[in-house]
Amino acid sequence: MDALHVQISHDLRAFRVELELGVRRETLALAGPSGAGKTSVLRAIAGLLTPDRGRIECDGEVWFDHEQKRNLAPEERSVGLVFQEFALFPHLTVEQNVAYAGRKDVHDLIARLGLGSLAHARPSDLSGGERQRVALARALARRPRVLLLDEPLAALDAQTRLHVRAELRERLHELRLPTVVVTHDYADAAALADRVAVMVAGRVVQVGAPAELIASPADPFVADFTGGNLLAGRARIGAEGLTEVVLADGTRLYSTDGAEGDVGVIVYPWEIAVARHAPADSTQNHVRAPVLSLVPVGNRVRVRIGLVTAEITAASAERLDLRPGETVVASFKATGTRLIPLG
């Protein structure tokens, strides 16, 4: 059963937000490009924005109902809000920042979040990850029934981000509060959330577990947003139960998905193998093209090969001695190739 139900309609400058979401005792990521209306939804739940129409309800209590002319003030809603830049008071200590939420005894909460030794430190003395924990502690000090986080990792550098992301995921899992996390980064959404709602121009286009969105994207945007290579082509039924797709440059690809007409071919970078020559195995799809770029990502390397991006281990990239401009082969199986209709 949903602990938080949100149904709102609200005009923004460029489009109208039309959204209905149910959030259980879970973490739901509201993810999508910047300017999609995600933060407006968060503000509406918190009571910082009054929608034109709709209803917001938490555990049976109505926070907003346009028809009934009911609109609880932010302080009347049991919401903990973590701002993108954390918004800590620089002149207050960790303990004072957390206590500012109105809870006098914050020692247990600070200790639970691993901040006990930093209770008398000020924000300028803290790392990015520590500041984020203080902001979370302050939000929890209100004893909220709903937790809202607006781009909680955006203010962190790349190295800190990976560590804090894992830590935040663990914290949110322990809390089991209805939690909405706004992010424009699918990697953050997939790491933090039980479910992801992809939002584009004020509308949710797909909701599901992170793995579901990758396995069955609803449209080309979701495929691209979740990190897939998206190639446009024309499909026809081929031999041996496979669908043949001819791309604009004449490249022929094969998929076990059935389709005809204009389609998008989706293959994820981790499904692609890279070699100097096409492998002598059952792999059906081979793209021979120059290496356009090599980008290290942790202990892996993203390799742009013609139209596709592959992701291989750093050890494999070193073994292959890949260099920009050299021609290599990107290979992937028909079973790992999804097709979605275009047009």
Side-chain angles (χ1 to χ4, degrees):
M1 181 178 177
D2 294 337
L4 173 69
H5 189 80
V6 181
Q7 187 271 313
I8 60 171
S9 177
H10 186 73
D11 274 330
L12 298 178
R13 277 188 307 179
F15 52 80
R16 170 176 286 274
V17 173
E18 294 277 4
L19 172 141
E20 183 166 7
L21 274 180
V23 186
R24 303 184 287 267
R25 299 195 179 281
E26 62 179 341
T27 298
L28 175 79
L30 192 58
S34 298
K38 306 183 301 296
T39 296
S40 295
V41 175
L42 216 64
R43 287 170 54 81
I45 297 170
L48 302 173
L49 177 150
T50 301
D52 297 332
R53 286 179 292 281
R55 179 182 174 94
I56 300 171
E57 184 177 343
C58 177
D59 287 333
E61 180 182 44
V62 178
W63 289 354
F64 171 77
D65 191 305
H66 173 71
E67 292 187 358
Q68 295 180 11
K69 301 190 183 324
R70 180 175 176 82
N71 186 19
L72 296 188
E75 61 271 18
E76 297 176 297
R77 304 185 186 198
S78 185
V79 168
L81 179 58
V82 178
F83 296 93
Q84 180 174 337
E85 298 294 334
F86 308 143
L88 301 177
F89 295 108
H91 62 290
L92 299 182
T93 65
V94 166
E95 185 177 59
Q96 291 167 334
N97 264 284
V98 177
Y100 188 84
R103 183 169 166 180
K104 294 181 180 179
D105 182 14
V106 297
H107 299 292
D108 289 346
L109 178 59
I110 288 173
R112 185 151 49 96
L113 290 178
L115 296 165
S117 62
L118 301 171
H120 302 295
R122 285 182 165 75
S124 59
D125 302 320
L126 306 178
S127 68
E130 288 165 345
R131 287 196 296 272
Q132 198 235 42
R133 269 187 278 159
V134 176
L136 180 60
R138 186 177 60 185
L140 293 174
R142 294 194 66 194
R143 295 186 175 91
R145 287 152 61 190
V146 172
L147 188 60
L148 307 175
L149 296 90
D150 188 7
E151 298 281 4
L153 303 175
L156 305 176
D157 62 75
Q159 186 173 359
T160 304
R161 189 186 192 115
L162 292 175
H163 171 73
V164 174
R165 187 162 66 189
E167 182 181 271
L168 182 58
R169 163 75 181 187
E170 185 177 341
R171 301 289 182 195
L172 295 179
H173 183 75
E174 289 171 355
L175 292 168
R176 300 314 292 175
L177 284 170
T179 299
V180 180
V181 178
V182 159
T183 179
H184 65 274
D185 188 311
Y186 185 73
D188 288 346
L192 295 174
D194 302 291
R195 291 189 300 145
V196 179
V198 180
M199 188 173 179
V200 183
R203 286 169 169 76
V204 170
V205 296
Q206 189 172 2
V207 182
E212 291 173 12
L213 269 58
I214 289 174
S216 302
D219 64 15
F221 177 84
V222 177
D224 181 63
F225 183 64
T226 56
N229 293 285
L230 181 64
L231 311 172
R234 187 148 187 92
R236 67 179 183 85
I237 301 302
E240 299 179 357
L242 297 178
T243 299
E244 180 187 72
V245 182
V246 181
L247 306 184
D249 66 355
T251 300
R252 282 174 162 73
L253 302 177
Y254 299 90
S255 173
T256 52
D257 285 0
E260 288 190 271
D262 293 331
V263 298
V265 179
I266 303 164
V267 59
Y268 285 88
W270 50 87
E271 299 280 0
I272 301 174
V274 179
R276 293 287 179 179
H277 307 284
D281 57 20
S282 60
T283 305
Q284 297 276 354
N285 299 313
H286 307 288
V287 175
R288 183 182 297 275
V291 173
L292 301 181
S293 64
L294 296 155
V295 180
V297 181
N299 64 348
R300 304 182 70 79
V301 177
R302 293 179 73 88
V303 188
R304 184 71 176 177
I305 302 166
L307 295 172
V308 301
T309 297
E311 188 173 289
I312 61 176
T313 64
S316 294
E318 185 176 355
R319 176 175 50 80
L320 290 166
D321 193 24
L322 298 177
R323 300 175 188 275
E326 294 182 339
T327 297
V328 297
V329 179
S331 302
F332 47 97
K333 295 181 178 181
T335 53
T337 307
R338 304 270 71 82
L339 301 179
I340 56 173
L342 296 180

